């Protein structure tokens, strides 16, 4: 394995890179690694190269690099910062994937009409003072076949052409009991034909009322906790519908509600509606064969959703998640047998202390543990003993070292 620089094959290793003004950065390449991340020094080892958020970047410094197959290297770039110059650079260089996480301290306008980025992913912070406006390519050689928007979707506006595929992952809270999130007006992007809407299975639900704005849709893929599924009947042009990791499907229209539907997939969905969908699929097959792959698999009972996604450990590494689930199980057992508030306090404190000896607790994991304590305080057994959210939080903060 190796990397090509200015047409010459080199062994993977360390190379000077004039990424910014001043002393060159040191680029380290590894066999088979085509992704490179850039971000502020405060991110530490989470990024490959340190570049402060407002530091200008000399993007053409990557031009000499190529893979052994001859394609530009790096193939994928993850950038945490505010320099939008990569759009102009990409007019001269194909980029397979680019993830941009700007701080948006002020309004930013970008002309990306000649960009040659196959998959552009934008992460939009909720606390940003500014908004982002991007003019997308409308014809080759400029192109953005795939556009992904994450976070505060209302922070971005688009003009120009349309992406072939649009993916939306709005920021939702960790509490499934919170009021459903409403999608903002997506402006020019309302005309897309292929849409994916993603959410966590155990998070605040997303209302599907906002999908009525996408009247040109032919393909829709839904992930995670969504509500108001009856609104999908308004999308009469659907030829493909996919539902994955959805803990509730109440209100979902019957499959014959979409006369042009040729492909339907339901995977890891709630059991009751899933069984009805299987019956509807068989009934449809007797009238007209499915034109594309169709299946309903992995039907899940309520208990499974409560264990796997009702708790805030779904995104944890497997070993640490196993520890967290075991500790959570122990608290639930203790609360069921508790007769005094002091016993509930001891159980919650024991859960909290269990993680004092776990090294490297991340900020998000600390927040997840706080969320777990909030959940435990909501249990009927805890509330019957006078445990409040405030008390549980006090017990949590008093004994934790993370």
């Amino acid at each position: 394995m190796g990397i090509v620089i200015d047409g010459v094959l080199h062994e993977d290793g360390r190379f000077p890179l004039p990424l910014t003004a001043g002393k060159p950065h040191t680029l380290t390449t590894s066999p088979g690694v085509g992704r490179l991340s850039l971000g502020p020094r405060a991110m530490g080892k989470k990024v490959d190269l340190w570049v402060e958020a407002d530091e200008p970047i000399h993007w053409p410094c990557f031009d000499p690099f190529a893979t052994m197959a001859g394609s530009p290297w790096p193939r994928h770039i993850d950038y945490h910062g505010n320099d939008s110059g990569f759009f102009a650079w990409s007019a001269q260089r194909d980029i397979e994937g680019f993830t941009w996480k700007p701080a948006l301290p002020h309004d930013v306008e970008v002309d990306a009409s000649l960009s040659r980025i196959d998959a552009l992913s934008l992460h939009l912070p909720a606390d940003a003072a500014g908004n982002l406006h991007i003019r997308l390519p409308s014809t080759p050689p400029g192109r953005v076949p795939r556009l992904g928007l994450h976070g505060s979707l209302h922070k971005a506006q688009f003009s120009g052409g349309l992406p072939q595929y649009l993916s939306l992952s709005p920021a939702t809270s960790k509490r499934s009991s919170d009021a459903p999130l409403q999608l903002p007006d997506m402006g020019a992007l309302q005309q897309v034909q292929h849409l994916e809407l993603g959410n966590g299975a155990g998070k605040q639900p997303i209302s599907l009322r906002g999908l009525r704005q996408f009247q040109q849709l032919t393909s829709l893929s839904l992930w995670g906790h969504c509500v108001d599924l009856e609104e999908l009947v308004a999308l009469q042009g659907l030829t493909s519908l996919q539902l994955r990791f959805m803990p509730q499907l109440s209100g979902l229209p019957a499959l014959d509600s979409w006369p042009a539907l040729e492909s339907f997939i339901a995977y890891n969905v709630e059991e009751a509606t899933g069984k009805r969908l299987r019956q509807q699929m068989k009934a449809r097959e007797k009238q007209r064969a499915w034109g594309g792959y169709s299946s309903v698999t992995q039907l899940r009972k309520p208990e499974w959703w409560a264990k796997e996604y009702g708790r805030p450990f779904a995104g944890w590494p497997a070993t640490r998640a196993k520890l967290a689930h075991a500790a959570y199980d122990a608290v639930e057992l203790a609360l069921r047998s508790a007769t005094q508030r002091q016993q509930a306090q001891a159980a919650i404190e024991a859960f909290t202390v269990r993680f004092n000896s776990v090294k490297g607790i991340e900020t998000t994991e600390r927040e997840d543990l706080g969320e777990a304590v909030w959940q435990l305080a909501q249990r009927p057994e805890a509330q019957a003993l006078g445990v409040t959210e405030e008390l549980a939080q006090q017990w949590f903060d008093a004994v934790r070292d993370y």
Side-chain angles (χ1 to χ4, degrees), residues 123-371:
H123 292 249
L124 307 163
D127 58 354
N131 294 313
L132 177 66
H133 180 270
I134 297 182
R135 182 173 181 80
L136 294 173
S138 54
T139 57
R143 65 182 188 275
V144 178
R146 296 180 178 272
L147 174 63
L149 303 179
H150 308 259
S152 297
L153 304 185
H154 66 280
K155 288 287 183 180
Q157 295 83 42
F158 297 87
S159 60
L162 290 172
Q164 186 175 359
Y165 295 92
L166 175 63
S167 175
L168 303 178
S169 298
T172 51
S173 75
K174 296 180 180 180
R175 296 181 181 175
S176 61
S177 59
D178 284 355
L181 178 80
Q182 303 295 326
L183 292 177
D185 183 334
M186 298 306 299
L189 296 180
Q190 294 176 0
Q191 303 303 310
V192 297
Q193 294 184 323
H194 305 278
L195 174 66
E196 178 180 291
L197 177 61
N199 189 25
K203 290 190 172 184
Q204 172 192 12
I206 298 174
S207 171
L208 299 187
R209 292 176 182 173
L211 291 186
R212 282 181 172 263
Q213 62 186 295
F214 297 99
Q215 284 300 306
Q216 304 303 314
L217 284 184
T218 60
S219 172
L220 175 63
S221 177
L222 299 175
W223 294 72
H225 195 185
C226 299
V227 295
D228 301 323
L229 274 74
E230 61 275 3
E231 297 289 331
L232 295 179
V233 75
L235 304 175
Q236 285 292 289
L238 288 182
T239 61
S240 173
L241 177 61
Q242 302 180 18
L243 312 173
R244 292 184 174 88
F245 292 94
M246 299 188 70
Q248 75 94 359
L249 293 174
S250 60
L252 179 70
L255 294 184
D256 60 10
S257 301
W258 300 284
L261 198 64
E262 290 294 337
S263 174
F264 175 74
I265 294 175
Y267 175 75
N268 270 308
V269 298
E270 56 103 341
E271 184 180 52
T273 305
K275 290 180 177 179
R276 291 197 294 272
L277 289 171
R278 282 177 174 170
Q279 296 172 352
Q280 293 171 20
M281 283 189 63
K282 292 178 181 179
R284 150 68 193 269
E285 279 183 315
K286 293 178 180 179
Q287 299 175 358
R288 179 166 61 91
W290 292 94
Y293 179 76
S294 301
S295 67
V296 178
T297 56
Q298 298 287 35
L299 306 187
R300 304 296 189 178
K301 296 180 181 294
E303 296 80 11
W304 186 86
W305 294 107
K307 177 72 178 288
E308 297 298 325
Y309 291 99
R311 299 176 181 181
F313 313 126
W316 286 32
T319 301
R320 197 170 290 186
K322 184 178 180 180
L323 168 66
H325 281 297
Y328 195 101
D329 288 340
V331 183
E332 286 188 322
L333 183 63
L335 289 176
R336 284 196 290 269
S337 60
T339 58
Q340 298 180 340
R341 192 172 69 184
Q342 290 85 346
Q343 292 173 310
Q345 177 179 354
I348 290 175
E349 288 180 344
F351 170 84
T352 305
V353 169
R354 178 66 185 85
F355 297 90
N356 281 345
S357 59
V358 177
K359 295 182 179 179
I361 292 287
E362 300 281 349
T363 299
T364 55
E365 292 176 337
R366 181 173 67 246
E367 293 171 350
D368 290 340
L369 291 170
E371 181 66 17

Side-chain angles (χ1 to χ4, degrees), residues 74-89:
R75 295 167 54 198
H76 301 267
I77 298 176
D78 298 327
Y79 171 50
H80 302 250
N82 299 320
D83 187 335
S84 61
F86 63 88
F87 284 108
W89 172 55

Side-chain angles (χ1 to χ4, degrees), residues 354-399:
R354 178 66 185 85
F355 297 90
N356 281 345
S357 59
V358 177
K359 295 182 179 179
I361 292 287
E362 300 281 349
T363 299
T364 55
E365 292 176 337
R366 181 173 67 246
E367 293 171 350
D368 290 340
L369 291 170
E371 181 66 17
V373 167
W374 178 87
Q375 289 184 359
L376 292 165
Q378 307 306 307
R379 293 186 61 84
E381 306 95 328
Q383 297 203 340
L385 297 173
V387 177
T388 64
E389 176 183 346
E390 292 76 15
L391 269 178
Q393 187 64 47
Q394 289 175 16
W395 300 337
F396 176 68
D397 290 333
V399 297

